[in-house]
Amino acid sequence: MITEIVRFTIAPGIDRDEVIRRFESTMPGWQVNENLVRKYYLYDAETRQGGGVYLWPDKAAAQAAHDAEWCDRAEKLYGSRPTFEYYETPCIVDNSG
C-alpha cells in the first residue's frame, strides 16, 4: 500500500464553508475510483492549507489519479497547484470498529 499526501494553498476569499462545498463536489468522482482504498480531506483555516490523504494499492495508481489534468482542475478549484508526497504503508491500525 501507498499513502499519498496532497497539499495546496487555498486562495484568499474562499472560506471554510466554500472549501467544504468544493471538497464535497469532488467526492462522487473519488467514490467511483476502483483503485482508491480511502481518502481523507484536509483543511487548516489558520495556514490556508487544504489537501487529502489517500491510500492506494501502489504509487502508479496514485500518480494516475493525480495527473496533469487533475492538477489543473485542483488549481482552478482551490487557487494553487498541489504538491505530492508518497510513503510506503506497511501497517495500518483501524480502531473504527
Side-chain angles (χ1 to χ4, degrees):
M1 294 282 210
I2 293 294
T3 297
E4 176 189 40
I5 301 173
V6 178
R7 297 181 196 180
F8 47 80
T9 300
I10 299 166
I14 303 175
D15 66 16
R16 180 186 183 279
D17 289 341
E18 181 61 20
V19 169
I20 292 172
R21 188 192 70 73
R22 293 179 189 197
F23 284 170
E24 290 172 341
S25 76
T26 70
M27 290 174 73
W30 292 116
Q31 289 170 326
V32 298
N33 185 314
E34 294 179 359
N35 287 317
L36 181 63
V37 176
R38 180 168 288 152
K39 176 179 180 175
Y40 297 93
Y41 288 83
L42 306 175
Y43 175 67
D44 185 333
E46 188 175 314
T47 64
R48 306 224 28 92
Q49 293 293 300
V53 176
Y54 302 76
L55 188 61
W56 299 99
D58 53 49
K59 189 174 179 180
Q63 291 175 323
H66 292 121
D67 60 10
E69 183 180 319
W70 183 89
C71 290
D72 292 343
R73 286 194 312 270
E75 185 173 14
K76 289 177 186 169
L77 199 56
Y78 303 109
S80 69
R81 285 203 79 78
T83 62
F84 302 92
E85 299 173 47
Y86 304 96
Y87 299 91
E88 179 184 359
T89 309
C91 304
I92 299 170
V93 173
D94 183 352
N95 290 334
S96 63

